[in-house]
């Protein structure tokens, strides 16, 4: 087995060749070492890796081993069965032969949070449903995740710096509110489509590593998708939890209706948000 410590290159960027990152993704937010490895297979080694001090491995250009029949027979970074016959993990774009295992694992859809062109092409070859929901760096900056007062205060400060009169500020604020409303509506339209895909189960969902974007999108589904019957996934960061709280506060009654909220579901959601907020 060959292991290469990537931090020895004195860089915090890796080339994953995904659409929205222009072949560059920064890991400056992480303090752990990152590794690339060859010739690693099997659940025993995966368990050993997970039991070690957070040994992260990037596997690429792997050949499908003869003994492999399902996803559980190969090493995939952050692979996890999340119920409803679905899995989360690192992208299979670098190991497209692993897509051949999805049928035996009863997985019919790949949800791609990174946007790999080759992954879409390879799924099409295998008659696997491909759904792209790219999570861009500014994803959590969407107005749906920000309190109205925070948004307005920031906008007013920007306008005041331009020395505008109150008469000129007022229409700018009205225009800004309309933009916020439109941005939230656009987000919820796409988000509703994603939740419909997730509700069906039998999917494999991934970003590059399956470590941050993937669990946090599943957390959004946990909190806002009445149709999800699998494991309940919690956010990986308190900042995401705060975004979830703000998103709920920004939902209109019509939004809740479109997402399929019932009175019971919403009461449980309120309790969950209050409990989690008090504990953070």
């Amino acid at each position: 087995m060959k292991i290469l410590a990537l931090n020895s290159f004195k860089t915090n960027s890796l080339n994953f060749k995904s659409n929205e990152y222009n072949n560059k993704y920064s890991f400056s937010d992480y303090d752990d070492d990152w590794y690339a490895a060859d010739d690693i297979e099997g659940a025993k080694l995966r368990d050993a890796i997970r039991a070690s001090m957070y040994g992260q491995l990037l596997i690429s250009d792997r050949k499908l081993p003869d003994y492999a029949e399902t996803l559980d027979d190969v090493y995939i970074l952050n692979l996890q069965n999340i119920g409803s016959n679905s899995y989360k993990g690192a992208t299979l774009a670098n190991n497209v032969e692993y897509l051949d295992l999805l049928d035996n694992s009863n997985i019919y859809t790949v949800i791609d949070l990174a946007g790999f062109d080759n992954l879409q092409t390879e799924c099409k070859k295998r008659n696997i449903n491909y759904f792209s929901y790219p999570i861009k760096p500014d994803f959590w900056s969407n107005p749906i995740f920000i309190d109205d007062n925070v948004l307005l205060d920031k906008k007013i400060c920007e306008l005041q710096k331009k020395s505008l009169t109150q008469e000129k500020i007022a229409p700018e604020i009205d225009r800004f509110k309309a933009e916020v409303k439109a941005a939230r509506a656009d987000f919820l339209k796409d988000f509703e489509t994603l939740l419909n895909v997730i509700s069906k189960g039998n999917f494999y969902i991934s970003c590059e590593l399956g470590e941050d974007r993937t669990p946090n999108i599943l957390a959004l589904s946990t909190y806002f998708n009445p149709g999800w019957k699998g494991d309940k996934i919690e956010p990986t960061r308190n900042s995401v939890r705060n975004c979830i709280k703000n998103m709920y506060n920004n939902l209109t009654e019509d939004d809740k209706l479109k997402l399929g909220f019932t009175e019971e579901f919403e009461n449980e959601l309120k309790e969950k948000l209050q409990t989690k907020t008090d504990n953070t």
Side-chain angles (χ1 to χ4, degrees):
M1 181 178 71
K2 189 167 133 192
I3 298 180
L4 179 62
L6 292 181
N7 60 325
S8 64
F9 286 95
K10 307 295 183 184
T11 180
N12 65 356
S13 297
L14 296 175
N15 181 357
F16 284 100
K17 298 182 181 178
S18 62
N19 286 347
E20 75 274 14
Y21 291 100
N22 295 321
N23 297 338
K24 186 176 181 182
Y25 188 87
S26 173
F27 287 88
S28 58
D29 293 336
Y30 296 85
D31 296 324
D32 304 285
D33 290 338
W34 298 84
Y35 302 93
D38 294 321
D39 302 326
I40 297 180
E41 294 296 352
K44 289 185 179 179
L45 184 51
R46 179 166 65 248
D47 292 339
I49 291 167
R50 288 175 176 171
S52 68
M53 295 181 62
Y54 201 62
Q56 293 291 355
L57 302 177
L58 301 176
I59 313 296
S60 63
D61 300 325
R62 301 307 313 280
K63 295 297 182 182
L64 189 63
D66 294 337
Y67 60 80
E69 296 182 355
T70 68
L71 289 178
D72 292 317
D73 294 328
V74 295
Y75 176 79
I76 298 174
L77 186 65
N78 293 314
L79 182 67
Q80 180 183 343
N81 186 326
I82 57 175
S84 198
N85 222 52
S86 301
Y87 285 78
K88 75 175 184 68
T91 183
L92 301 182
N94 297 325
N95 304 288
V96 294
E97 289 192 10
Y98 285 10
L99 292 170
D100 295 331
L101 301 173
L102 297 189
D103 188 48
N104 285 342
S105 300
N106 295 317
I107 294 174
Y108 312 127
T109 301
V110 168
I111 302 175
D112 184 8
L113 304 179
F116 288 96
D117 288 334
N118 73 311
L119 186 57
Q120 181 177 12
T121 300
E122 295 297 333
C123 284
K124 185 176 181 180
K125 288 179 181 178
R126 295 166 171 81
N127 293 319
I128 298 171
N129 298 321
Y130 174 86
F131 182 79
S132 178
Y133 190 80
I135 307 302
K136 298 181 180 180
D138 62 350
F139 179 83
W140 299 105
S141 297
N142 188 285
I144 195 71
F145 299 120
I146 304 175
D147 181 81
D148 278 336
N149 292 328
V150 174
L151 287 171
L152 286 176
D153 287 346
K154 182 178 180 181
K155 186 63 177 180
I156 290 172
C157 286
E158 291 177 358
L159 294 173
Q160 288 176 340
K161 289 179 180 179
K162 298 179 180 179
S163 301
L164 298 179
T165 63
Q166 188 60 40
E167 289 75 15
K168 291 186 177 180
I169 286 179
E172 289 293 331
I173 292 298
D174 290 340
R175 187 179 298 109
F176 176 70
K177 289 181 178 179
E179 291 173 352
V180 167
K181 183 178 180 180
R184 287 173 175 171
D186 287 343
F187 176 91
L188 288 171
K189 182 179 179 180
D190 292 338
F191 184 63
E192 181 184 354
T193 303
L194 171 67
L195 295 191
N196 289 335
V197 175
I198 288 177
S199 296
K200 295 177 183 177
N202 299 86
F203 61 81
Y204 182 86
I205 185 169
S206 64
C207 48
E208 272 92 358
L209 300 178
E211 185 163 278
D212 185 77
R213 284 171 288 173
T214 298
N216 285 319
I217 290 301
L218 289 171
L220 281 180
S221 176
T222 292
Y223 278 77
F224 296 106
N225 188 2
W228 173 238
K229 306 303 181 184
D231 294 348
K232 308 304 181 183
I233 308 296
E234 290 296 328
T236 64
R237 293 176 272 118
N238 284 339
S239 60
V240 174
R241 197 182 305 281
N242 290 333
C243 286
I244 289 174
K245 180 182 178 183
N246 288 335
M247 178 172 169
Y248 171 72
N249 292 334
N250 289 328
L251 292 179
T252 66
E253 292 304 315
D254 188 50
D255 293 333
K256 297 173 186 177
L257 184 63
K258 290 180 179 179
L259 292 174
F261 278 28
T262 63
E263 183 177 355
E264 180 182 5
F265 178 82
E266 185 168 6
N267 288 336
E268 291 177 355
L269 175 57
K270 288 179 180 178
E271 183 177 352
K272 186 186 301 184
L273 288 172
Q274 185 63 43
T275 301
K276 296 300 179 182
T277 302
D278 290 344
N279 288 340
T280 54

